[in-house]
Amino acid sequence: MRNQGKKQGQTTRKIVVFGARGRVGRAVVAEARARGLEVTEAGRDDGDITSAADVTRLAAGHDLAVAAVYDMAADPGEFFPAAARALAAGLSGAGVRRLVSVGLASVLPTAAGPLLMDTPGYPQEWRPFYVGHGAGTEALRAAAPEGLDWAVLSPSGDFANGEPVGGYAFGPADADERITHADFARAVLDEALAPTVHAAHLGVRAA
């Protein structure tokens, strides 16, 4: 676990990033540090994201939390709900009041209504992973205490390499949409610091 020190004389908001070693997590850490936040990177070696006690330990003393976690070796139908419940309980125990979790476009509705994963031609070989992600959001909705203000953000479609465009917008799921990790991280940090999305899952596209 690594912390960025606070400059003398400054009052710096503190954020813990669960899943900080992944691509999304690294982008969020970079964006948070660029904004002058004090960052704690929490990876798999630092604690168990499905343990409320570990979440409380890692989040203690922080103002905000971001979760960009997954475990490809685990059953997604078990992992994501367990992580959501641990975050709900553990962050509450640590006094953290804002959580932005990274979700999946597959379980977002499209502009036409159906979930992206239910549209014609959408890949189905990863459907248990999609469904597990969705179950995690529902578990968070059920378990989050009143004092935890949470949001789930995901790309409207998928991530892309290349140069960030510097802007983003919320929108429905669209398999053709792409957003860089850096632009997505801007949305995540904006929502962590100045919330506009509450108890909901929204897609983010480049703009």
Side-chain angles (χ1 to χ4, degrees):
M1 183 171 62
R2 302 192 297 274
N3 293 73
Q4 180 184 0
K6 180 169 61 178
K7 294 180 181 179
Q8 188 174 4
Q10 285 187 334
T11 300
T12 304
R13 299 184 76 177
K14 299 180 181 180
I15 185 169
V16 55
V17 180
F18 296 96
R21 314 294 193 262
R23 290 184 181 182
V24 177
R26 291 197 304 268
V28 169
V29 168
E31 179 69 16
R33 287 182 169 157
R35 298 188 189 203
L37 276 68
E38 184 174 342
V39 184
T40 295
E41 300 180 39
R44 196 170 299 172
D45 294 338
D46 302 309
D48 180 0
I49 191 64
T50 65
S51 163
D54 281 2
V55 171
T56 296
R57 172 176 57 83
L58 292 165
H62 294 78
D63 308 297
L64 313 162
V66 170
V69 299
Y70 70 97
D71 185 348
M72 293 302 293
D75 180 341
E78 296 178 2
F79 173 77
F80 288 110
R85 289 189 290 267
L87 284 164
L91 293 176
S92 179
V96 175
R97 299 184 62 83
R98 179 60 171 171
L99 165 67
V100 180
S101 185
V102 178
L104 201 65
S106 308
V107 295
L108 275 174
T110 59
L115 301 183
L116 184 58
M117 67 179 180
D118 293 330
T119 57
Y122 197 75
Q124 295 299 306
E125 58 267 30
W126 293 100
R127 192 174 181 91
F129 187 73
Y130 311 154
V131 173
H133 247 293
T137 298
E138 292 311 307
L140 181 59
R141 187 184 306 280
E146 185 175 345
L148 180 63
D149 183 16
W150 62 271
V152 177
L153 299 183
S154 70
S156 291
D158 205 348
F159 289 109
N161 297 319
E163 292 297 317
V165 301
Y168 68 87
F170 295 128
D174 184 336
D176 294 328
E177 290 285 355
R178 295 293 182 270
I179 188 169
T180 66
H181 291 87
D183 286 324
F184 183 75
R186 289 188 181 95
V188 170
L189 264 295
D190 284 349
E191 276 303 317
L193 293 165
T196 65
V197 180
H198 307 281
H201 177 189
L202 292 185
V204 186
R205 60 176 176 84

